[in-house]
Amino acid sequence: MSHDDLSQHPQHPAFPDDPAFPDGFVTDPYHRVPPPDDLGDVDERFVFDFRSYDDLGDGQRWSTWLSVEPLCRGPEPLPDWVVTSQGAIDTELGVLKTGKEADVHLVERADPLDPAAGVVMAAKRYRSPEHRAFHRSASYTEGRSMKRSRDERAIKRKSTFGRQVAAGEWAVSEWGALVRLWNLGLPVPYPVQIDGTEILMEWITVVDEDDAVRTAPRLAQTRPSPELLAAYFEQLTDALATMVQNGLVHGDLSAYNILAAGERLVVIDLPQIVDLVGNLNGMTFLQRDCANICGWFRSRGLDVDEHALFAELMAHAF
């Protein structure tokens, strides 16, 4: 039976319970669609505004927020500054920092039709194995397990596939650390999303004397007052205590991977985070973190002792 014959058969005999087609039912696929001001009783759920976007320019891409898996997006609740619009565009703004294993870029994510809601984020991009110089990686990965034993065997054999897996290993490790520490309420950048070897995260900033926004300086670049210095050390002690209570050690903590955002500190660079008990070097890494931190604070005039700090953290751990 053709579509043209349907109007002659309000109820097909093979389906007697089917409802009859209403009067005026249109089967022509090219039937004229009424203009927006003549929609009549059309359900509002099927009405939407069509908005067109210009083509992308150099150094731009469509937002990858919706193209990654839900578990690759930041923890709920999302901060109100996170842009989730499907029409948002990521624009490269330049390199913020280069490192041994990754480079950090600045990326603006904004919807061209709502530019005021845009945000600038830090994009940490890990290099491929042949362009990385991350040292002592074996001591950091001691005790870690991978989801697939095939991947773990390939990394140990250093095969071509294993090198490809290793390229994303550190990015995944840092993403997991950021999500876990953020959920614990610790001072780390909010992790927006991970896509392969790229992590988008909160850009930690300060406002200078000219009201210009710039990247927060590293703790090593600051000269805080005695009062602020003591407050900084107390913040770090609390953060380290929370970490060891949850069996975690930064593993490479120093004044160079802590940002001073005004009166608060933010811990960064977390790919080498280790398990305090599961890693055979966990205690050694914690002792070294204490020594690095206390050494810097002593150099600024604060009387602190790494052995006392380590003992205090052990009291929190066990």
Side-chain angles (χ1 to χ4, degrees):
M1 180 185 298
S2 68
H3 286 293
D4 294 336
D5 295 332
L6 286 174
S7 60
Q8 306 300 321
H9 298 78
Q11 279 192 320
H12 194 281
F15 305 99
D17 295 331
D18 286 354
F21 288 101
D23 295 337
F25 180 80
V26 178
T27 60
D28 182 2
Y30 302 102
H31 182 69
R32 180 185 69 86
V33 177
D37 57 351
D38 188 27
L39 292 178
D41 297 329
V42 174
D43 192 323
E44 292 183 358
R45 293 175 298 175
F46 299 98
V47 179
F48 62 91
D49 293 328
F50 174 79
R51 302 186 297 175
S52 63
Y53 289 81
D54 295 332
D55 293 333
L56 298 180
D58 294 337
Q60 291 186 322
R61 70 184 182 192
W62 292 110
S63 168
T64 54
W65 174 261
L66 293 177
S67 65
V68 300
E69 296 292 331
L71 290 179
C72 294
R73 301 175 194 149
E76 299 281 355
L78 299 178
D80 56 9
W81 53 263
V82 175
V83 177
T84 61
S85 169
Q86 190 170 1
I89 294 174
D90 294 346
T91 303
E92 295 283 337
L93 300 181
V95 177
L96 181 62
K97 181 183 79 74
T98 59
K100 296 184 295 294
E101 73 278 2
D103 298 324
V104 180
H105 300 247
L106 287 181
V107 174
E108 179 188 41
R109 173 168 290 177
D111 189 322
L113 300 181
D114 188 18
V119 63
V120 176
M121 301 174 291
K124 188 168 186 177
R125 295 166 183 162
Y126 280 82
R127 300 195 188 105
S128 57
E130 61 269 20
H131 297 114
R132 291 170 49 218
F134 195 84
H135 58 293
R136 303 187 303 275
S137 61
S139 59
Y140 286 111
T141 57
E142 177 73 34
R144 286 185 190 173
S145 61
M146 306 194 71
K147 292 183 179 180
R148 298 194 305 178
S149 58
R150 173 172 175 257
D151 294 347
E152 194 165 1
R153 291 195 303 270
I155 290 178
K156 290 180 179 179
R157 290 197 304 267
K158 298 182 179 180
S159 64
T160 301
F161 174 70
R163 289 194 296 270
Q164 293 174 348
V165 173
E169 181 186 9
W170 292 105
V172 171
S173 176
E174 178 156 26
W175 169 259
L178 284 169
V179 171
R180 186 172 180 183
L181 296 186
W182 176 269
N183 285 330
L184 289 173
L186 289 170
V188 297
Y190 176 77
V192 177
Q193 68 174 73
I194 180 173
D195 186 11
T197 57
E198 177 191 75
I199 300 175
L200 290 178
M201 66 184 80
E202 178 185 4
W203 178 36
I204 307 300
T205 63
V206 293
V207 179
D208 61 19
E209 297 81 2
D210 300 324
D211 290 332
V213 177
R214 62 183 179 88
T215 304
R218 297 173 184 273
L219 181 61
Q221 300 171 317
T222 65
R223 296 294 184 271
S225 66
E227 296 76 16
L228 185 56
L229 190 69
Y232 279 167
F233 186 77
E234 184 178 353
Q235 289 181 44
L236 278 180
T237 301
D238 291 343
L240 291 173
T242 301
M243 289 181 67
V244 297
Q245 285 171 358
N246 289 274
L248 300 174
V249 178
H250 186 284
D252 194 28
L253 192 62
S254 74
Y256 290 94
N257 47 31
I258 300 171
L259 301 180
E263 296 184 353
R264 74 183 183 102
L265 297 181
V266 179
V267 180
I268 59 172
D269 293 337
L270 297 158
Q272 70 292 316
I273 194 169
V274 299
D275 188 289
L276 178 62
V277 178
N279 189 302
L280 295 177
N281 304 294
M283 293 294 183
T284 301
F285 285 138
L286 182 59
Q287 288 177 323
R288 190 178 67 191
D289 286 352
C290 292
N292 288 341
I293 289 302
C294 290
W296 184 86
F297 276 91
R298 277 199 305 270
S299 71
R300 295 297 186 270
L302 188 65
D303 185 16
V304 292
D305 178 74
E306 58 264 31
H307 302 293
L309 177 59
F310 180 78
E312 179 180 349
L313 295 178
M314 284 296 94
H316 286 282
F318 300 105

